[in-house]
PDB file of all heavy atoms in Angstrom:
ATOM      1  N   VAL Z  30      15.223 -13.061  31.225  1.00 87.00           N
ATOM      2  CA  VAL Z  30      16.423 -13.415  30.466  1.00 87.00           C
ATOM      3  C   VAL Z  30      17.293 -12.180  30.465  1.00 87.00           C
ATOM      4  O   VAL Z  30      16.855 -11.042  30.259  1.00 87.00           O
ATOM      5  CB  VAL Z  30      16.053 -13.790  29.008  1.00 87.00           C
ATOM      6  CG1 VAL Z  30      17.335 -13.970  28.176  1.00 87.00           C
ATOM      7  CG2 VAL Z  30      15.188 -15.005  28.981  1.00 87.00           C
ATOM      8  N   VAL Z  31      18.612 -12.417  30.783  1.00 87.00           N
ATOM      9  CA  VAL Z  31      19.589 -11.349  30.758  1.00 87.00           C
ATOM     10  C   VAL Z  31      20.379 -11.533  29.478  1.00 87.00           C
ATOM     11  O   VAL Z  31      20.825 -12.617  29.177  1.00 87.00           O
ATOM     12  CB  VAL Z  31      20.535 -11.446  31.980  1.00 87.00           C
ATOM     13  CG1 VAL Z  31      21.575 -10.340  31.917  1.00 87.00           C
ATOM     14  CG2 VAL Z  31      19.677 -11.367  33.294  1.00 87.00           C
ATOM     15  N   MET Z  32      20.497 -10.446  28.695  1.00 88.00           N
ATOM     16  CA  MET Z  32      21.282 -10.517  27.415  1.00 88.00           C
ATOM     17  C   MET Z  32      22.018  -9.195  27.247  1.00 88.00           C
ATOM     18  O   MET Z  32      21.750  -8.206  27.950  1.00 88.00           O
ATOM     19  CB  MET Z  32      20.281 -10.748  26.237  1.00 88.00           C
ATOM     20  CG  MET Z  32      19.341  -9.588  26.023  1.00 88.00           C
ATOM     21  SD  MET Z  32      18.187  -9.916  24.665  1.00 88.00           S
ATOM     22  CE  MET Z  32      17.028 -11.013  25.469  1.00 88.00           C
ATOM     23  N   SER Z  33      22.906  -9.250  26.303  1.00 87.00           N
ATOM     24  CA  SER Z  33      23.687  -8.001  25.992  1.00 87.00           C
ATOM     25  C   SER Z  33      22.710  -6.974  25.380  1.00 87.00           C
ATOM     26  O   SER Z  33      21.700  -7.306  24.777  1.00 87.00           O
ATOM     27  CB  SER Z  33      24.820  -8.293  25.019  1.00 87.00           C
ATOM     28  OG  SER Z  33      24.319  -8.616  23.760  1.00 87.00           O
ATOM     29  N   TYR Z  34      23.161  -5.748  25.528  1.00 91.00           N
ATOM     30  CA  TYR Z  34      22.314  -4.642  24.895  1.00 91.00           C
ATOM     31  C   TYR Z  34      22.296  -4.777  23.389  1.00 91.00           C
ATOM     32  O   TYR Z  34      21.286  -4.532  22.772  1.00 91.00           O
ATOM     33  CB  TYR Z  34      22.830  -3.271  25.373  1.00 91.00           C
ATOM     34  CG  TYR Z  34      21.926  -2.167  24.932  1.00 91.00           C
ATOM     35  CD1 TYR Z  34      20.633  -2.019  25.449  1.00 91.00           C
ATOM     36  CD2 TYR Z  34      22.348  -1.258  23.938  1.00 91.00           C
ATOM     37  CE1 TYR Z  34      19.776  -1.004  25.021  1.00 91.00           C
ATOM     38  CE2 TYR Z  34      21.482  -0.273  23.562  1.00 91.00           C
ATOM     39  CZ  TYR Z  34      20.213  -0.092  24.049  1.00 91.00           C
ATOM     40  OH  TYR Z  34      19.367   0.843  23.654  1.00 91.00           O
ATOM     41  N   ALA Z  35      23.425  -5.189  22.775  1.00 90.00           N
ATOM     42  CA  ALA Z  35      23.463  -5.378  21.365  1.00 90.00           C
ATOM     43  C   ALA Z  35      22.489  -6.408  20.896  1.00 90.00           C
ATOM     44  O   ALA Z  35      21.808  -6.246  19.874  1.00 90.00           O
ATOM     45  CB  ALA Z  35      24.890  -5.741  20.925  1.00 90.00           C
ATOM     46  N   ARG Z  36      22.390  -7.524  21.638  1.00 90.00           N
ATOM     47  CA  ARG Z  36      21.405  -8.574  21.322  1.00 90.00           C
ATOM     48  C   ARG Z  36      19.991  -8.048  21.454  1.00 90.00           C
ATOM     49  O   ARG Z  36      19.109  -8.305  20.626  1.00 90.00           O
ATOM     50  CB  ARG Z  36      21.604  -9.760  22.232  1.00 90.00           C
ATOM     51  CG  ARG Z  36      20.628 -10.848  22.018  1.00 90.00           C
ATOM     52  CD  ARG Z  36      20.940 -11.775  20.891  1.00 90.00           C
ATOM     53  NE  ARG Z  36      20.104 -12.993  20.958  1.00 90.00           N
ATOM     54  CZ  ARG Z  36      19.451 -13.429  19.924  1.00 90.00           C
ATOM     55  NH1 ARG Z  36      19.654 -12.865  18.734  1.00 90.00           N
ATOM     56  NH2 ARG Z  36      18.674 -14.473  19.983  1.00 90.00           N
ATOM     57  N   TYR Z  37      19.730  -7.259  22.466  1.00 93.00           N
ATOM     58  CA  TYR Z  37      18.399  -6.667  22.713  1.00 93.00           C
ATOM     59  C   TYR Z  37      18.063  -5.773  21.543  1.00 93.00           C
ATOM     60  O   TYR Z  37      16.929  -5.809  21.010  1.00 93.00           O
ATOM     61  CB  TYR Z  37      18.418  -5.911  24.042  1.00 93.00           C
ATOM     62  CG  TYR Z  37      17.198  -5.024  24.240  1.00 93.00           C
ATOM     63  CD1 TYR Z  37      15.984  -5.640  24.627  1.00 93.00           C
ATOM     64  CD2 TYR Z  37      17.170  -3.674  23.998  1.00 93.00           C
ATOM     65  CE1 TYR Z  37      14.853  -4.849  24.798  1.00 93.00           C
ATOM     66  CE2 TYR Z  37      16.061  -2.914  24.158  1.00 93.00           C
ATOM     67  CZ  TYR Z  37      14.881  -3.496  24.586  1.00 93.00           C
ATOM     68  OH  TYR Z  37      13.776  -2.723  24.737  1.00 93.00           O
ATOM     69  N   GLN Z  38      18.985  -4.935  21.119  1.00 96.00           N
ATOM     70  CA  GLN Z  38      18.726  -4.004  19.977  1.00 96.00           C
ATOM     71  C   GLN Z  38      18.446  -4.805  18.720  1.00 96.00           C
ATOM     72  O   GLN Z  38      17.543  -4.454  17.949  1.00 96.00           O
ATOM     73  CB  GLN Z  38      19.913  -3.096  19.758  1.00 96.00           C
ATOM     74  CG  GLN Z  38      20.042  -1.965  20.772  1.00 96.00           C
ATOM     75  CD  GLN Z  38      21.236  -1.133  20.483  1.00 96.00           C
ATOM     76  OE1 GLN Z  38      22.369  -1.604  20.330  1.00 96.00           O
ATOM     77  NE2 GLN Z  38      21.034   0.190  20.467  1.00 96.00           N
ATOM     78  N   ALA Z  39      19.153  -5.890  18.467  1.00 94.00           N
ATOM     79  CA  ALA Z  39      18.965  -6.709  17.269  1.00 94.00           C
ATOM     80  C   ALA Z  39      17.572  -7.327  17.349  1.00 94.00           C
ATOM     81  O   ALA Z  39      16.874  -7.370  16.289  1.00 94.00           O
ATOM     82  CB  ALA Z  39      20.081  -7.806  17.196  1.00 94.00           C
ATOM     83  N   LEU Z  40      17.144  -7.809  18.500  1.00 95.00           N
ATOM     84  CA  LEU Z  40      15.813  -8.350  18.561  1.00 95.00           C
ATOM     85  C   LEU Z  40      14.728  -7.298  18.353  1.00 95.00           C
ATOM     86  O   LEU Z  40      13.715  -7.543  17.663  1.00 95.00           O
ATOM     87  CB  LEU Z  40      15.653  -9.052  19.980  1.00 95.00           C
ATOM     88  CG  LEU Z  40      16.410 -10.354  20.168  1.00 95.00           C
ATOM     89  CD1 LEU Z  40      16.315 -10.822  21.602  1.00 95.00           C
ATOM     90  CD2 LEU Z  40      15.934 -11.404  19.266  1.00 95.00           C
ATOM     91  N   GLN Z  41      14.903  -6.133  18.903  1.00 97.00           N
ATOM     92  CA  GLN Z  41      13.973  -5.019  18.734  1.00 97.00           C
ATOM     93  C   GLN Z  41      13.856  -4.654  17.227  1.00 97.00           C
ATOM     94  O   GLN Z  41      12.755  -4.435  16.734  1.00 97.00           O
ATOM     95  CB  GLN Z  41      14.389  -3.808  19.560  1.00 97.00           C
ATOM     96  CG  GLN Z  41      14.210  -3.969  21.017  1.00 97.00           C
ATOM     97  CD  GLN Z  41      12.734  -4.161  21.408  1.00 97.00           C
ATOM     98  OE1 GLN Z  41      12.336  -5.209  21.772  1.00 97.00           O
ATOM     99  NE2 GLN Z  41      11.934  -3.126  21.337  1.00 97.00           N
ATOM    100  N   GLU Z  42      14.993  -4.608  16.563  1.00 98.00           N
ATOM    101  CA  GLU Z  42      15.016  -4.272  15.136  1.00 98.00           C
ATOM    102  C   GLU Z  42      14.260  -5.358  14.330  1.00 98.00           C
ATOM    103  O   GLU Z  42      13.449  -5.067  13.441  1.00 98.00           O
ATOM    104  CB  GLU Z  42      16.437  -4.170  14.647  1.00 98.00           C
ATOM    105  CG  GLU Z  42      16.554  -3.731  13.240  1.00 98.00           C
ATOM    106  CD  GLU Z  42      18.004  -3.491  12.805  1.00 98.00           C
ATOM    107  OE1 GLU Z  42      18.759  -2.850  13.566  1.00 98.00           O
ATOM    108  OE2 GLU Z  42      18.342  -3.941  11.674  1.00 98.00           O
ATOM    109  N   ARG Z  43      14.512  -6.613  14.696  1.00 98.00           N
ATOM    110  CA  ARG Z  43      13.845  -7.718  14.004  1.00 98.00           C
ATOM    111  C   ARG Z  43      12.294  -7.693  14.196  1.00 98.00           C
ATOM    112  O   ARG Z  43      11.519  -7.893  13.299  1.00 98.00           O
ATOM    113  CB  ARG Z  43      14.376  -9.055  14.470  1.00 98.00           C
ATOM    114  CG  ARG Z  43      13.800 -10.261  13.783  1.00 98.00           C
ATOM    115  CD  ARG Z  43      14.169 -10.270  12.304  1.00 98.00           C
ATOM    116  NE  ARG Z  43      13.662 -11.458  11.686  1.00 98.00           N
ATOM    117  CZ  ARG Z  43      13.149 -11.468  10.451  1.00 98.00           C
ATOM    118  NH1 ARG Z  43      13.105 -10.408   9.722  1.00 98.00           N
ATOM    119  NH2 ARG Z  43      12.669 -12.614   9.960  1.00 98.00           N
ATOM    120  N   ILE Z  44      11.889  -7.395  15.438  1.00 98.00           N
ATOM    121  CA  ILE Z  44      10.451  -7.209  15.732  1.00 98.00           C
ATOM    122  C   ILE Z  44       9.855  -6.124  14.878  1.00 98.00           C
ATOM    123  O   ILE Z  44       8.789  -6.301  14.280  1.00 98.00           O
ATOM    124  CB  ILE Z  44      10.207  -6.939  17.229  1.00 98.00           C
ATOM    125  CG1 ILE Z  44      10.543  -8.178  18.053  1.00 98.00           C
ATOM    126  CG2 ILE Z  44       8.816  -6.458  17.538  1.00 98.00           C
ATOM    127  CD1 ILE Z  44      10.643  -7.932  19.532  1.00 98.00           C
ATOM    128  N   GLU Z  45      10.549  -4.979  14.760  1.00 97.00           N
ATOM    129  CA  GLU Z  45      10.024  -3.880  13.938  1.00 97.00           C
ATOM    130  C   GLU Z  45       9.963  -4.308  12.473  1.00 97.00           C
ATOM    131  O   GLU Z  45       8.984  -3.987  11.775  1.00 97.00           O
ATOM    132  CB  GLU Z  45      10.969  -2.687  14.090  1.00 97.00           C
ATOM    133  CG  GLU Z  45      10.444  -1.439  13.419  1.00 97.00           C
ATOM    134  CD  GLU Z  45      11.289  -0.230  13.714  1.00 97.00           C
ATOM    135  OE1 GLU Z  45      11.752  -0.051  14.845  1.00 97.00           O
ATOM    136  OE2 GLU Z  45      11.475   0.611  12.789  1.00 97.00           O
ATOM    137  N   GLU Z  46      10.932  -5.026  11.964  1.00 98.00           N
ATOM    138  CA  GLU Z  46      10.880  -5.478  10.548  1.00 98.00           C
ATOM    139  C   GLU Z  46       9.705  -6.415  10.375  1.00 98.00           C
ATOM    140  O   GLU Z  46       9.000  -6.301   9.327  1.00 98.00           O
ATOM    141  CB  GLU Z  46      12.198  -6.230  10.242  1.00 98.00           C
ATOM    142  CG  GLU Z  46      13.387  -5.351  10.106  1.00 98.00           C
ATOM    143  CD  GLU Z  46      14.708  -6.096  10.016  1.00 98.00           C
ATOM    144  OE1 GLU Z  46      14.659  -7.379  10.143  1.00 98.00           O
ATOM    145  OE2 GLU Z  46      15.774  -5.462   9.869  1.00 98.00           O
ATOM    146  N   LEU Z  47       9.467  -7.305  11.274  1.00 98.00           N
ATOM    147  CA  LEU Z  47       8.329  -8.243  11.162  1.00 98.00           C
ATOM    148  C   LEU Z  47       6.986  -7.489  11.253  1.00 98.00           C
ATOM    149  O   LEU Z  47       6.022  -7.874  10.512  1.00 98.00           O
ATOM    150  CB  LEU Z  47       8.432  -9.334  12.243  1.00 98.00           C
ATOM    151  CG  LEU Z  47       9.553 -10.328  12.038  1.00 98.00           C
ATOM    152  CD1 LEU Z  47       9.679 -11.199  13.266  1.00 98.00           C
ATOM    153  CD2 LEU Z  47       9.352 -11.168  10.784  1.00 98.00           C
ATOM    154  N   GLU Z  48       6.897  -6.451  12.092  1.00 98.00           N
ATOM    155  CA  GLU Z  48       5.679  -5.695  12.172  1.00 98.00           C
ATOM    156  C   GLU Z  48       5.446  -4.930  10.827  1.00 98.00           C
ATOM    157  O   GLU Z  48       4.305  -4.868  10.377  1.00 98.00           O
ATOM    158  CB  GLU Z  48       5.754  -4.684  13.316  1.00 98.00           C
ATOM    159  CG  GLU Z  48       5.608  -5.315  14.689  1.00 98.00           C
ATOM    160  CD  GLU Z  48       5.885  -4.408  15.832  1.00 98.00           C
ATOM    161  OE1 GLU Z  48       6.512  -3.347  15.663  1.00 98.00           O
ATOM    162  OE2 GLU Z  48       5.466  -4.734  16.958  1.00 98.00           O
ATOM    163  N   ASP Z  49       6.504  -4.411  10.221  1.00 97.00           N
ATOM    164  CA  ASP Z  49       6.380  -3.745   8.936  1.00 97.00           C
ATOM    165  C   ASP Z  49       5.922  -4.715   7.872  1.00 97.00           C
ATOM    166  O   ASP Z  49       5.069  -4.374   7.045  1.00 97.00           O
ATOM    167  CB  ASP Z  49       7.721  -3.075   8.547  1.00 97.00           C
ATOM    168  CG  ASP Z  49       8.086  -1.909   9.397  1.00 97.00           C
ATOM    169  OD1 ASP Z  49       7.206  -1.394  10.189  1.00 97.00           O
ATOM    170  OD2 ASP Z  49       9.250  -1.465   9.357  1.00 97.00           O
ATOM    171  N   ALA Z  50       6.511  -5.927   7.861  1.00 97.00           N
ATOM    172  CA  ALA Z  50       6.100  -6.966   6.915  1.00 97.00           C
ATOM    173  C   ALA Z  50       4.621  -7.317   7.071  1.00 97.00           C
ATOM    174  O   ALA Z  50       3.918  -7.465   6.073  1.00 97.00           O
ATOM    175  CB  ALA Z  50       6.999  -8.168   7.027  1.00 97.00           C
ATOM    176  N   LEU Z  51       4.170  -7.420   8.297  1.00 97.00           N
ATOM    177  CA  LEU Z  51       2.802  -7.736   8.551  1.00 97.00           C
ATOM    178  C   LEU Z  51       1.851  -6.613   8.022  1.00 97.00           C
ATOM    179  O   LEU Z  51       0.847  -6.882   7.398  1.00 97.00           O
ATOM    180  CB  LEU Z  51       2.520  -8.028  10.058  1.00 97.00           C
ATOM    181  CG  LEU Z  51       1.111  -8.306  10.497  1.00 97.00           C
ATOM    182  CD1 LEU Z  51       0.596  -9.539   9.769  1.00 97.00           C
ATOM    183  CD2 LEU Z  51       1.045  -8.442  11.951  1.00 97.00           C
ATOM    184  N   ASP Z  52       2.291  -5.371   8.297  1.00 97.00           N
ATOM    185  CA  ASP Z  52       1.481  -4.245   7.793  1.00 97.00           C
ATOM    186  C   ASP Z  52       1.376  -4.270   6.272  1.00 97.00           C
ATOM    187  O   ASP Z  52       0.301  -4.025   5.668  1.00 97.00           O
ATOM    188  CB  ASP Z  52       2.069  -2.876   8.240  1.00 97.00           C
ATOM    189  CG  ASP Z  52       1.878  -2.650   9.738  1.00 97.00           C
ATOM    190  OD1 ASP Z  52       1.018  -3.303  10.370  1.00 97.00           O
ATOM    191  OD2 ASP Z  52       2.592  -1.818  10.296  1.00 97.00           O
ATOM    192  N   SER Z  53       2.489  -4.598   5.593  1.00 96.00           N
ATOM    193  CA  SER Z  53       2.505  -4.693   4.117  1.00 96.00           C
ATOM    194  C   SER Z  53       1.565  -5.720   3.642  1.00 96.00           C
ATOM    195  O   SER Z  53       0.826  -5.557   2.675  1.00 96.00           O
ATOM    196  CB  SER Z  53       3.925  -4.937   3.627  1.00 96.00           C
ATOM    197  OG  SER Z  53       4.751  -3.839   3.923  1.00 96.00           O
ATOM    198  N   LEU Z  54       1.607  -6.909   4.298  1.00 97.00           N
ATOM    199  CA  LEU Z  54       0.730  -7.984   3.921  1.00 97.00           C
ATOM    200  C   LEU Z  54      -0.747  -7.612   4.128  1.00 97.00           C
ATOM    201  O   LEU Z  54      -1.617  -7.997   3.320  1.00 97.00           O
ATOM    202  CB  LEU Z  54       1.097  -9.270   4.701  1.00 97.00           C
ATOM    203  CG  LEU Z  54       2.340  -9.958   4.318  1.00 97.00           C
ATOM    204  CD1 LEU Z  54       2.702 -11.068   5.290  1.00 97.00           C
ATOM    205  CD2 LEU Z  54       2.271 -10.443   2.902  1.00 97.00           C
ATOM    206  N   LYS Z  55      -1.046  -6.920   5.191  1.00 96.00           N
ATOM    207  CA  LYS Z  55      -2.406  -6.460   5.438  1.00 96.00           C
ATOM    208  C   LYS Z  55      -2.916  -5.544   4.309  1.00 96.00           C
ATOM    209  O   LYS Z  55      -4.032  -5.718   3.831  1.00 96.00           O
ATOM    210  CB  LYS Z  55      -2.572  -5.753   6.790  1.00 96.00           C
ATOM    211  CG  LYS Z  55      -2.468  -6.707   7.954  1.00 96.00           C
ATOM    212  CD  LYS Z  55      -2.531  -5.940   9.308  1.00 96.00           C
ATOM    213  CE  LYS Z  55      -2.449  -6.817  10.477  1.00 96.00           C
ATOM    214  NZ  LYS Z  55      -2.423  -6.019  11.735  1.00 96.00           N
ATOM    215  N   VAL Z  56      -2.081  -4.625   3.913  1.00 94.00           N
ATOM    216  CA  VAL Z  56      -2.414  -3.719   2.808  1.00 94.00           C
ATOM    217  C   VAL Z  56      -2.604  -4.510   1.504  1.00 94.00           C
ATOM    218  O   VAL Z  56      -3.569  -4.320   0.781  1.00 94.00           O
ATOM    219  CB  VAL Z  56      -1.356  -2.593   2.608  1.00 94.00           C
ATOM    220  CG1 VAL Z  56      -1.568  -1.807   1.330  1.00 94.00           C
ATOM    221  CG2 VAL Z  56      -1.381  -1.669   3.862  1.00 94.00           C
TER     222      VAL Z  56
END
Side-chain angles (χ1 to χ4, degrees):
V30 175
V31 178
M32 67 182 75
S33 71
Y34 187 68
R36 175 83 170 131
Y37 171 79
Q38 285 179 310
L40 289 172
Q41 289 296 106
E42 186 175 314
R43 183 66 177 141
I44 289 168
E45 188 174 321
E46 290 169 356
L47 291 171
E48 288 172 339
D49 291 346
L51 179 59
D52 289 343
S53 294
L54 288 172
K55 286 178 181 178
V56 169

